[in-house]
């Protein structure tokens, strides 16, 4: 086994939930963070550049380093001295899985430097345990759109077919929303009617994503478990939703815990949807960056130097 001295891990952004798939479905998007790990003789050096870099901690509380340390604790080993260089393109605390990129990046970097003692599925299980839910870390690691279900402490991960006409348009506002705050507003109990609503809509969503059937997607992207409670935390939600639907989106959802709003549309309508979402938010006095993305199908990618 050769000793790796330097590895770069590129990890995609992710959008979790896709409406009715709360905490169980997510898709990787073509927007990336990059993490470079270099062995040192002593110490820990962390540097961050790119989007939101000034707000990321560069001491040992950094989430990438925390995941790196957790990996070695899991093996009951001492983490080695390391330099971690982070290049960010995924905005922080916007519902696009920036924390998941950090966790997946930290674990993969650690696994490589340690000589790959853990399999990909063991790394995935550790990532799910750190994040607390699978819907960002699984697609960040594996790419594509993924459904995760657990039984007897094991995870079944299923790739969900994604029609190549589907274009996710993300509207990223210039304010943050912490996942913690967005989870605190959710009820701990839901009615049977709401549970049935989401069960049916998630089933329809899977077929809608596979076929790009307009009517199925329009209905399927609705949810009763989290969005009705969270939209109050996102000023302009109703206006941006109406603008997206009026210009040809199949539907619009809160990306992850928000505040980014994600419209699913097709190539023909994506420009009009992006322009309308930007304008609707601007009218509410909120500036947003809007991007038409694609599904990332590769997940985390490694570049290794021996
Ligand atoms: N499924 C999670 C949530 C994603 O909606 O709270 C955020 O990390």
């Amino acid at each position: 086994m050769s000793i790796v001295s330097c590895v770069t891990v590129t990890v995609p952004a992710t959008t979790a939930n896709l409406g009715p798939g709360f905490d169980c479905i997510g898709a990787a998007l073509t927007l990336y963070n990059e993490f470079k790990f270099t062995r040192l003789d002593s110490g820990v050096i962390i540097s961050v550049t790119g989007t939101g870099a000034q707000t990321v901690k560069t001491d040992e509380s950094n989430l990438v380093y925390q995941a790196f340390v957790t990996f070695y604790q899991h093996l009951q080993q001492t983490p080695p001295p390391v330099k971690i260089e982070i290049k960010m393109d995924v905005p922080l605390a916007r519902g696009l899985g920036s924390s998941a990129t950090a966790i997946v990046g930290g674990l993969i970097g650690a696994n490589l430097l340690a000589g790959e003692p853990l399999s990909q599925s063991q790394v995935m299980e550790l990532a799910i345990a750190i994040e607390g839910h699978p819907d960002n870390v699984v697609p960040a690691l594996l790419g594509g759109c993924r459904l995760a279900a657990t039984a007897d402490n094991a995870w079944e991960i299923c790739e969900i077919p994604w029609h190549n006409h589907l274009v996710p348009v993300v509207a990223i506002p210039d304010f943050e929303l912490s996942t913690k705050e967005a989870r605190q507003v959710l009820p701990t109990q839901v009615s049977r009617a709401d549970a049935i609503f989401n069960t049916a809509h998630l089933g329809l969503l899977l077929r809608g994503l596979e076929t790009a059937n307009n009517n199925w997607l329009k209905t399927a992207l609705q949810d009763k478990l989290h969005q009705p409670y969270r939209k109050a935390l996102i000023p302009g939600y109703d206006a941006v939703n109406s603008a997206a639907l009026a210009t040809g989106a199949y539907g619009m959802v809160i990306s992850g815990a928000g505040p980014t709003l994600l419209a699913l549309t097709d190539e023909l309508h994506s420009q009009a949807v992006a322009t309308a979402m930007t304008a609707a938010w601007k009218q509410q006095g909120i500036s947003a960056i809007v991007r038409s993305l694609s599904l990332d199908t590769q997940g985390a990618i490694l570049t290794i130097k021996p």
Side-chain angles (χ1 to χ4, degrees), residues 16-17 22-23 131 133 135-136 179 183 226 230 256-257:
N17 304 329
F22 180 61
D23 272 1
E131 175 93 320
H133 41 84
D135 46 348
N136 290 111
T179 298
R183 291 181 86 83
H226 65 113
R230 286 174 163 173

Side-chain angles (χ1 to χ4, degrees), residues 32-34 48-53 56 86-92 98:
Y32 302 91
N33 283 342
E34 196 180 282
V48 189
T49 55
T51 312
V56 179
I86 303 170
K87 266 199 232 165
M88 307 220 336
D89 206 14
V90 181
L92 278 173
S98 63

Side-chain angles (χ1 to χ4, degrees), residues 123-137:
V123 169
M124 187 189 73
E125 278 169 21
L126 203 46
I128 296 172
I130 296 172
E131 175 93 320
H133 41 84
D135 46 348
N136 290 111
V137 290

